[in-house]
Amino acid sequence: MKSPDPGAEPHHATAYSIAAAEFDCEVIENEAVNAEYMHIVATADPLATSVAAGQFFHMLCPKDGPNGPFFRRPMSVYKADPKAGTVAFLYKVTGSGTRALATLAPGDRLDLFGPLGVGFALEPDWRRIVVVGRGVGLATLAPLAELAAANGMGVTAVLSARSPAVMISGERFRAVGADVIEVTDAGGTSGPARLERVLRGLIADGMADAFFTCGSNRLLLLLQRLGREFGIPGQVALEQQMACGLGMCFCCVREFRVDGGVAHRRVCWDGPVFDLQEAISW
Amino acid sequence: MKSPDPGAEPHHATAYSIAAAEFDCEVIENEAVNAEYMHIVATADPLATSVAAGQFFHMLCPKDGPNGPFFRRPMSVYKADPKAGTVAFLYKVTGSGTRALATLAPGDRLDLFGPLGVGFALEPDWRRIVVVGRGVGLATLAPLAELAAANGMGVTAVLSARSPAVMISGERFRAVGADVIEVTDAGGTSGPARLERVLRGLIADGMADAFFTCGSNRLLLLLQRLGREFGIPGQVALEQQMACGLGMCFCCVREFRVDGGVAHRRVCWDGPVFDLQEAISW
Amino acid sequence: MVDMNVEIGGVRLANPVMPASGTFADGLDKAVDFERLGAMVIKTITRELRVGNALPRVCETPEGMLNSIGIPSKGMPYFHEETLPTYTRYSTPLVVSISAPTVDGFASLADEVSLPGVAAIEANISCPNLEEDGKAFANEAASAERATAAIRRRTSLPLWVKLSPNVTDIAEIARAVEAAGADALVVANTFLAMAVDIESQRPRLGSVTGGLSGPAIRPIVLRMTWQCARAVDVPIIGCGGIATAEDAIEYMLAGASAVQVGTVTFVHPTAMISVLEGIESYCLRRGYERVTDLVGALSVEEADETDMEWVDPLR
Amino acid sequence: MVDMNVEIGGVRLANPVMPASGTFADGLDKAVDFERLGAMVIKTITRELRVGNALPRVCETPEGMLNSIGIPSKGMPYFHEETLPTYTRYSTPLVVSISAPTVDGFASLADEVSLPGVAAIEANISCPNLEEDGKAFANEAASAERATAAIRRRTSLPLWVKLSPNVTDIAEIARAVEAAGADALVVANTFLAMAVDIESQRPRLGSVTGGLSGPAIRPIVLRMTWQCARAVDVPIIGCGGIATAEDAIEYMLAGASAVQVGTVTFVHPTAMISVLEGIESYCLRRGYERVTDLVGALSVEEADETDMEWVDPLR
Ligand SMILES: Cc1cc2nc3c(=O)[nH]c(=O)nc-3n(C[C@H](O)[C@H](O)[C@H](O)COP(=O)(O)OP(=O)(O)OC[C@H]3O[C@@H](n4cnc5c(N)ncnc54)[C@H](O)[C@@H]3O)c2cc1C
Ligand SMILES: Cc1cc2nc3c(=O)[nH]c(=O)nc-3n(C[C@H](O)[C@H](O)[C@H](O)COP(=O)(O)OP(=O)(O)OC[C@H]3O[C@@H](n4cnc5c(N)ncnc54)[C@H](O)[C@@H]3O)c2cc1C
Ligand SMILES: Cc1cc2nc3c(=O)[nH]c(=O)nc-3n(C[C@H](O)[C@H](O)[C@H](O)COP(=O)(O)O)c2cc1C
Ligand SMILES: Cc1cc2nc3c(=O)[nH]c(=O)nc-3n(C[C@H](O)[C@H](O)[C@H](O)COP(=O)(O)O)c2cc1C
Ligand code: FES
Ligand code: FES
């Protein structure tokens, strides 16, 4: 595919923090929260805890064997606590890097590079937002819900998972006062038709000044359609394999719909948070 | 240097054990015995504890960084305990491999390959032997002293070290009933002239049917000279960098005086224990 | 105090450490002070507008990585309006890496980027030569020489030529490129390589093959650097798998006058700074007053090379 | 049950896994049952008596090693009296690797080792050719072809030729060697490389340069295997950095009919057995009845190769 302008800058590419650094952190906790997800907490200095919702750190996972992990692994921040001086991540063990990460014990070192990327942006005139996430995407959305609540916005969180056993972060969203709607495949409640009805209900009730999503292609498509139909703006946090995490290597490009054409953007640098309608589902 | 026969087989190249295997052991202990030496004990099965004095294991040290350690590291057995099902090693932290080894904690795994090489051979008609070692070479000689004692031979152990603080294994030798003579650089007792007097005394007293040494070039030269003068046989355990440990790669060759010529032999396969007079000092 | 200045083919650098093309961009200023670098070498540009290769574009290999980024290029207007002003804000010399599919393309692009603020041109001749069946310019002495000579005629800027390691005799190519007027050589680009996903039974890179870089290749490129340094008089910039100051010093002892740090920056973003500081401490510790004293200081004993003396067959 | 048999240039092997020359000897029988191997490839022999290179002969590198063992050789009488009987005790096919400094030397040595009990000859042509300035036979298609043709005329044993990876275009050399009568190709030998000890400021190897092997090189040699498999019809034996069954399967998917396991045996002495068992389980799991079904099964989509289409310059 060829585009007229392979690298048009997205309009919200304002840097979040002007600095990033390599931090030698100490692991405080690294525990399974359910059969699929682990929760890791590490010490962090003020620059690290200044990370914004939707931004990420690039983690150096311990060596696993000759094949790596060689690259760092990107993880969006799940919780940053400037007072405690900690950052936390929620992750799923999927391959060599996260497998090695899961072996860390309290007291071990963890090398974090960040904060990186462009996080979520809240418009001051939004009153009520809807966040819709699935799987580990909820980890990325949790700090956004917190930020919105802190800015006096109402939050409805639609949390989707395969089964209640692997549903994460419900309490985290409830703790910030969000209305939480949990849906699962196992319960037959997460199908697109049902979700669409739920969302249309929220729109009708005036709860959806903006949509936010992460973690599911199907949800992205659904929100794009509803967003277009009702003129509701939104943002999506995307994933892509990364090497540098700093916009240097161009391995993490994705295609976006921009001005009627297709533009290539770097997920690490121009995102990982992008305009809902510009994202192209995968 | 060119030899008429680069690989003449040394006469004592009888295999010690017909099998060797890669063992996945558990570390039971890994502690500093003084400022320079560490003592590591690992679980071992009967094939591993059948290791003979002077034989070695090829150890897989944990990764330290991108540069390695890539090869295994050879370590002669310090103690094998078939009843307890353990093998122990005494080692000095010198570079990347031993540094990584020193990080292991009880419960960690240690991959040992062995037993390997040709160990010490005791002639049945020897009654009293003298072992002369320095530094970590004493680790290699300790099981020999034990073996000799078990075979009813008298053992005099001349142990040399920089200072009393880094003198190792004295008790180990005393425990098997050896007469122990400790000499140190710090005490001014380890000089060649003084040692020669000590050894000449032992020879005069009929304590030296054979010499055994490891760990010092100067000691090797001295024993070779005395051995020639008095017709006393002997053996020396040599070190050389190893890759395979099994006689396959020819990286560990050293030159030996054989039949008036110079022969290349593999320390891992033809040794590490060699005839005292054939060894060429380094 | 160690004098860290080096002169590389007409460009005076405050120190011998710089990024490798394609592993550096303005985003790195979040973590690294560009004023501390010896030079800034930017991602290869082309005249043509290009999107780069199919995804996935990178994968991990033992102590290394493959990349088939290609050269996504936003064209010359973007270069003039965006890229150049981004870097000319710094006082560090800017090296512009260029590539083209034809000899004339190389020459005219060199002309076009010979602008105020550009300290040197680095010609990335590892790209396919459309006039010769798509074989890389850097693969043969003759085509490497033609490209170099054509660029030389069109620019008066210092000209660095970056060689490919995918060749039988890199010294021969180094000599040809020197003869054609290069002021310095960069040794080297990536090794053509591939990896396969045995579950999907497909190549791990969207474009099947890609370039291997990182610590894995260092011993090979170090050997090439040593060979080139003995073959030519122009300075050599060593580039391949440098992760630490020790690695950079290996290159300098083997004959490199400066080094480029690539892949490791993805893993340790501040690696260039630690390389730089480590070289300086090494010089201090060993009593070198000038970093240039390291260059080629390797002492190679006349090997007795027993194994090369093929004696007469015994029978 | 998976049929693990493969036929490599006239030799039927019970399975596709064998050692690489120089990384195998009888001592390994302490840990590995030689009857389980596809073949036994022994350390290259020469007619001449040689002691090998200066020490140190090996050093460690990132996920690899350098060796400059050379070819310590005990001469032909030792080969006849000691080496051959050691291996003919096993029913596993014995492959004898040979090397020589001249074309005639290769031919007559091939003749001399064409003995009962020898299943195939592997010609290690990466050695210096004394008739051509010491350049390795394997470095140029013409000299590789001459050596192969000369050996071919003097032996009726299956002839495997082992290529060098230190070349610009390995496929060209593969074609030349095939045309000269090779029955199979081994891809490949080690990469010429070096390492420097920055404290002593000397090379880490006694002979300055040596051969890089181990996982580090795998992605490059895998690419070469793929290129050769597309260039010739004779079977390819992949060799370079194979440490696990997955690595071996990568090679087979890319077109290798068998694999040689080298350096990793130094680290994991039983690696060949785990490679063998792992290939078999993979076949079982994926429903392959014959291991030969893996060969060349890589599915390479026609890459859209956007980056290779150099569009017209914009201005
Ligand atoms: C901005 C961003 C934020 C993320 N936040 C989280 C999070 O909070 N929690 C979480 O569990 N996961 C998160 N991910 C995904 C996480 O990065 C991957 O799960 C992880 O890289 C997988 O590595 P691995 O070695 O375990 O898997 P492997 O499959 O072995 O990885 C192989 C390669 O593919 C890359 N890769 C594999 N899956 C992904 C993926 N989904 N996204 C990006 N690269 C991938 C790896 O980084 C590596 O380079 C995030 C990804 C991005 C881009
Ligand atoms: C048969 C034998 C038995 C040994 N027994 C003992 C023992 O009981 N206790 C002990 O402390 N040490 C012993 N050694 C020495 C031990 O193997 C080295 O100290 C160790 O390999 C150093 O590795 P490193 O990575 O710490 O050092 P580095 O210097 O980083 O090693 C670099 C390379 O050189 C090799 N090397 C370095 N020093 C030696 C050496 N002295 N001998 C052989 N190879 C070396 C390493 O194996 C490695 O390949 C023995 C050596 C041999 C050959
Ligand atoms: C992601 C990536 C992109 C690269 N892009 C370019 C490029 O555009 N031009 C170029 O000359 N070299 C390019 N290279 C090669 C590097 O400049 C360097 O020559 C090579 O990576 C070896 O150095 P290293 O091992 O330190 O990375 C690239 C390398 C990587 C890893
Ligand atoms: C110590 C050592 C000695 C070698 N000797 C020879 C040899 O005598 N003949 C030969 O053809 N290849 C020799 N090789 C090369 C190997 O056969 C093989 O081609 C190379 O190591 C790549 O495979 P690997 O990465 O699996 O080791 C040697 C390799 C090593 C490491
Ligand atoms: S990861 Fe390098 S540009 Fe995004
Ligand atoms: S270490 Fe390989 S032959 Fe001795």
Side-chain angles (χ1 to χ4, degrees):
Chain A
M1 229 173 296
K2 192 148 292 170
S3 97
D5 182 351
E9 303 296 333
H11 53 267
H12 65 296
T14 49
Y16 271 65
S17 91
I18 51 154
E22 201 174 335
F23 298 104
D24 173 30
C25 307
E26 183 180 328
V27 176
I28 295 176
E29 180 197 313
N30 190 20
E31 274 168 21
V33 294
N34 60 36
E36 292 188 350
Y37 298 99
M38 304 269 302
H39 184 241
I40 189 165
V41 184
T43 58
D45 89 350
L47 171 55
T49 58
S50 77
V51 58
Q55 282 194 301
F56 67 96
F57 283 88
H58 219 18
M59 279 190 185
L60 202 57
C61 303
K63 286 272 157 196
D64 201 24
N67 292 333
F70 182 74
F71 297 142
R72 287 173 179 266
R73 299 292 190 259
M75 289 285 165
S76 34
V77 65
Y78 178 56
K79 185 161 182 66
D81 188 333
K83 265 185 268 149
T86 58
V87 287
F89 305 88
L90 206 61
Y91 65 99
K92 185 171 170 178
V93 175
T94 50
S96 67
T98 46
R99 204 159 42 229
L101 194 63
T103 66
L104 291 178
D108 288 345
R109 312 307 303 181
L110 174 63
D111 179 319
L112 296 179
F113 177 63
L116 298 172
V118 174
F120 294 103
L122 292 172
E123 299 285 329
D125 55 338
W126 293 338
R127 306 293 315 283
R128 294 159 187 286
I129 65 167
V130 175
V131 308
V132 189
R134 184 171 165 94
V136 81
L138 296 172
T140 309
L141 295 169
L144 164 73
E146 196 164 65
L147 179 72
N151 281 282
M153 298 179 191
V155 178
T156 309
V158 183
L159 314 183
S160 168
R162 275 212 327 284
S163 75
V166 297
M167 174 71 75
I168 49 172
S169 304
E171 330 75 69
R172 181 83 201 285
F173 285 93
R174 271 185 284 267
V176 303
D179 285 338
V180 173
I181 304 173
E182 296 189 344
V183 300
T184 62
D185 306 355
T189 50
S190 65
R194 186 170 181 287
L195 265 185
E196 181 163 347
R197 280 197 302 279
V198 170
L199 290 167
R200 285 186 181 273
L202 290 168
I203 295 168
D205 294 347
M207 309 296 282
D209 292 343
F211 287 137
F212 295 84
T213 189
C214 180
S216 158
N217 201 26
R218 226 168 48 175
L219 292 179
L220 170 62
L221 284 169
L222 174 59
L223 291 178
Q224 285 180 328
R225 187 154 50 74
L226 294 174
R228 274 195 303 274
E229 184 179 334
F230 295 98
I232 299 170
Q235 290 160 28
V236 57
L238 296 174
E239 295 184 359
Q240 187 68 294
Q241 186 189 19
M242 294 183 182
C244 73
L246 270 178
M248 302 191 289
C249 74
F250 287 83
C251 81
C252 66
V253 294
R254 294 180 72 117
E255 295 181 336
F256 292 85
R257 254 185 305 265
V258 178
D259 303 332
V262 167
H264 280 78
R265 285 176 181 164
R266 290 158 294 181
V267 171
C268 73
W269 184 252
D270 304 317
V273 174
F274 292 91
D275 180 81
L276 182 66
Q277 297 298 344
E278 292 187 352
I280 295 181
S281 69
W282 58 99
Chain B
M1 225 171 298
K2 192 147 295 169
S3 97
D5 181 351
E9 303 295 334
H11 54 265
H12 65 297
T14 49
Y16 272 66
S17 91
I18 52 155
E22 201 174 335
F23 298 104
D24 173 30
C25 307
E26 184 179 327
V27 175
I28 295 175
E29 180 198 314
N30 189 20
E31 274 169 20
V33 293
N34 60 36
E36 292 187 352
Y37 299 99
M38 303 271 302
H39 184 241
I40 189 166
V41 184
T43 58
D45 88 351
L47 171 56
T49 57
S50 76
V51 58
Q55 283 194 300
F56 67 97
F57 283 90
H58 219 19
M59 280 190 184
L60 201 58
C61 303
K63 285 271 158 199
D64 200 26
N67 292 335
F70 182 73
F71 296 142
R72 287 173 180 265
R73 298 293 189 260
M75 288 287 164
S76 35
V77 66
Y78 178 57
K79 186 163 182 64
D81 188 334
K83 265 186 267 145
T86 58
V87 286
F89 305 89
L90 204 62
Y91 64 99
K92 185 169 170 182
V93 175
T94 49
S96 68
T98 46
R99 207 161 38 231
L101 194 63
T103 66
L104 291 178
D108 287 346
R109 312 307 303 181
L110 174 63
D111 180 319
L112 296 179
F113 177 63
L116 297 172
V118 173
F120 293 104
L122 292 173
E123 299 285 329
D125 55 340
W126 293 338
R127 306 292 316 283
R128 294 160 187 286
I129 65 167
V130 175
V131 308
V132 189
R134 184 172 164 91
V136 81
L138 296 173
T140 309
L141 294 169
L144 165 72
E146 196 164 66
L147 179 72
N151 281 281
M153 298 178 192
V155 177
T156 310
V158 183
L159 314 183
S160 168
R162 274 211 328 283
S163 73
V166 296
M167 173 71 74
I168 48 172
S169 304
E171 330 75 70
R172 183 80 203 288
F173 284 93
R174 273 184 282 267
V176 303
D179 285 336
V180 173
I181 303 173
E182 296 189 346
V183 300
T184 62
D185 306 356
T189 49
S190 66
R194 187 172 180 285
L195 266 184
E196 182 164 347
R197 278 198 303 277
V198 169
L199 290 168
R200 285 186 181 273
L202 290 170
I203 295 168
D205 294 347
M207 309 297 281
D209 293 343
F211 286 136
F212 295 85
T213 188
C214 180
S216 157
N217 201 26
R218 226 168 48 175
L219 293 179
L220 170 62
L221 284 170
L222 175 58
L223 291 178
Q224 284 181 330
R225 188 156 47 77
L226 293 174
R228 273 195 305 272
E229 184 178 333
F230 295 97
I232 299 171
Q235 290 161 27
V236 56
L238 296 173
E239 295 186 357
Q240 187 68 295
Q241 186 188 19
M242 294 183 182
C244 73
L246 270 179
M248 303 191 289
C249 74
F250 287 83
C251 80
C252 66
V253 293
R254 293 181 72 118
E255 295 181 336
F256 292 85
R257 254 186 305 265
V258 179
D259 303 332
V262 167
H264 280 78
R265 285 175 182 165
R266 291 158 293 180
V267 171
C268 73
W269 184 252
D270 304 315
V273 175
F274 292 91
D275 180 80
L276 181 67
Q277 296 299 344
E278 292 187 352
I280 295 182
S281 69
W282 59 98
Chain C
M1 271 288 298
V2 181
D3 178 356
M4 294 291 283
N5 287 284
V6 294
E7 165 112 15
I8 303 294
V11 199
R12 196 161 164 287
L13 312 181
N15 68 65
V17 181
M18 64 187 96
S21 175
T23 65
F24 174 79
D26 51 326
L28 190 64
D29 74 350
K30 285 192 172 211
V32 170
D33 177 1
F34 291 1
E35 296 292 349
R36 294 193 64 189
L37 303 177
M40 299 176 295
V41 185
I42 57 172
K43 172 88 184 161
T44 302
I45 60 161
T46 61
R47 259 184 153 202
E48 303 78 9
L49 214 65
R50 311 165 85 200
V51 293
N53 285 322
L55 265 62
R57 290 179 175 183
V58 294
C59 82
E60 299 175 295
T61 66
E63 283 304 322
M65 67 175 281
L66 299 185
N67 91 77
S68 59
I69 304 293
I71 305 186
S73 182
K74 299 177 183 171
M76 292 311 293
Y78 188 91
F79 175 74
H80 286 280
E81 289 150 33
E82 302 287 338
T83 313
L84 212 47
T86 300
Y87 296 101
T88 48
R89 290 187 286 136
Y90 302 95
S91 64
T92 303
L94 174 65
V95 180
V96 175
S97 170
I98 62 169
S99 191
T102 61
V103 168
D104 283 350
F106 257 118
S108 64
L109 182 54
D111 180 28
E112 202 167 342
V113 301
S114 295
L115 298 165
V118 176
I121 291 176
E122 180 175 296
N124 171 5
I125 60 170
S126 300
C127 52
N129 174 351
L130 289 196
E131 291 152 339
E132 282 182 35
D133 233 15
K135 287 194 181 166
F137 288 95
N139 280 8
E140 305 286 343
S143 51
E145 185 167 0
R146 270 196 300 278
T148 308
I151 300 171
R152 179 71 298 168
R153 280 191 294 273
R154 294 287 290 278
T155 184
S156 55
L157 280 179
L159 172 58
W160 301 357
V161 176
K162 183 166 180 180
L163 305 186
S164 161
N166 299 299
V167 298
T168 310
D169 184 357
I170 198 161
E172 178 199 356
I173 295 169
R175 279 188 293 263
V177 165
E178 177 185 47
D183 299 304
L185 306 180
V186 182
V187 178
N189 217 306
T190 53
F191 285 84
L192 191 65
M194 76 188 275
V196 167
D197 179 338
I198 68 164
E199 292 310 324
S200 68
Q201 304 194 332
R202 289 172 191 281
R204 285 194 186 272
L205 294 179
S207 60
V208 186
T209 59
L212 179 65
S213 61
I217 67 171
R218 193 173 63 235
I220 318 180
V221 186
L222 182 69
R223 178 265 297 179
M224 292 179 167
T225 298
W226 183 68
Q227 290 179 320
C228 288
R230 295 173 6 140
V232 299
D233 293 320
V234 294
I236 310 285
I237 302 163
C239 174
I242 295 173
T244 64
E246 288 72 45
D247 303 339
I249 295 163
E250 281 196 62
Y251 270 94
M252 296 190 73
L253 293 173
S257 298
V259 293
Q260 293 185 349
V261 175
T263 302
V264 71
T265 296
F266 298 168
V267 182
H268 295 291
T270 56
M272 281 187 284
I273 303 301
S274 19
V275 167
L276 174 57
E277 291 174 348
I279 296 175
E280 191 164 359
S281 345
Y282 177 87
C283 289
L284 273 176
R285 177 160 64 81
R286 306 278 300 215
Y288 289 107
E289 280 169 28
R290 281 166 301 273
V291 73
T292 51
D293 294 343
L294 294 182
V295 180
L298 184 70
S299 92
V300 174
E301 271 163 38
E302 248 359 286
D304 51 356
E305 297 201 45
T306 29
D307 208 32
M308 296 294 123
E309 295 164 16
W310 292 74
V311 295
D312 281 336
L314 280 191
R315 51 186 202 136
Chain D
M1 272 289 296
V2 182
D3 177 356
M4 293 292 283
N5 288 284
V6 294
E7 165 112 15
I8 303 295
V11 199
R12 198 162 163 287
L13 312 181
N15 68 66
V17 182
M18 65 188 95
S21 176
T23 65
F24 174 78
D26 51 326
L28 190 63
D29 74 350
K30 284 192 172 214
V32 170
D33 177 2
F34 291 1
E35 295 292 347
R36 294 193 62 188
L37 303 177
M40 297 176 296
V41 184
I42 58 173
K43 172 86 181 163
T44 302
I45 60 162
T46 60
R47 259 187 152 200
E48 303 76 12
L49 213 67
R50 312 165 85 200
V51 293
N53 285 321
L55 265 63
R57 291 180 173 182
V58 294
C59 82
E60 299 176 294
T61 66
E63 283 303 324
M65 67 175 280
L66 299 186
N67 91 78
S68 60
I69 303 293
I71 305 187
S73 183
K74 299 178 184 170
M76 293 311 294
Y78 189 90
F79 175 73
H80 285 281
E81 288 150 35
E82 302 287 337
T83 314
L84 210 48
T86 300
Y87 295 101
T88 48
R89 290 188 286 137
Y90 302 97
S91 65
T92 304
L94 173 66
V95 180
V96 175
S97 170
I98 62 170
S99 190
T102 61
V103 168
D104 283 348
F106 258 117
S108 63
L109 183 54
D111 181 29
E112 201 166 345
V113 301
S114 295
L115 297 166
V118 177
I121 291 176
E122 180 175 297
N124 171 6
I125 60 171
S126 299
C127 51
N129 174 351
L130 290 197
E131 291 152 339
E132 283 183 35
D133 233 12
K135 288 194 181 168
F137 288 96
N139 280 9
E140 305 287 343
S143 50
E145 186 166 359
R146 269 195 301 278
T148 307
I151 300 171
R152 179 71 298 167
R153 280 191 295 272
R154 293 286 288 279
T155 184
S156 55
L157 281 179
L159 172 58
W160 301 358
V161 176
K162 184 165 178 182
L163 305 186
S164 161
N166 299 299
V167 298
T168 310
D169 184 356
I170 199 162
E172 180 200 353
I173 295 168
R175 279 187 294 262
V177 166
E178 177 185 47
D183 297 304
L185 306 180
V186 182
V187 179
N189 216 306
T190 54
F191 285 86
L192 192 65
M194 76 189 272
V196 168
D197 179 337
I198 69 164
E199 293 311 324
S200 68
Q201 303 195 333
R202 291 173 191 279
R204 284 194 186 272
L205 293 180
S207 59
V208 186
T209 58
L212 180 66
S213 61
I217 66 171
R218 192 171 64 235
I220 317 178
V221 186
L222 182 69
R223 178 267 296 178
M224 292 179 168
T225 298
W226 183 67
Q227 290 179 320
C228 289
R230 294 174 5 142
V232 299
D233 292 321
V234 294
I236 311 285
I237 302 163
C239 174
I242 295 173
T244 64
E246 289 72 43
D247 303 339
I249 295 163
E250 280 197 64
Y251 271 94
M252 295 190 73
L253 294 173
S257 297
V259 294
Q260 293 185 349
V261 175
T263 302
V264 71
T265 296
F266 298 168
V267 183
H268 294 291
T270 55
M272 282 187 282
I273 303 300
S274 19
V275 167
L276 173 58
E277 290 174 348
I279 296 174
E280 190 164 0
S281 345
Y282 177 87
C283 288
L284 273 177
R285 177 161 66 80
R286 307 278 299 215
Y288 289 107
E289 280 169 26
R290 280 168 302 273
V291 73
T292 50
D293 293 343
L294 295 181
V295 180
L298 184 71
S299 92
V300 174
E301 271 161 39
E302 247 356 287
D304 51 354
E305 297 201 47
T306 29
D307 208 34
M308 297 293 121
E309 296 164 14
W310 291 75
V311 296
D312 282 336
L314 279 190
R315 51 183 203 134

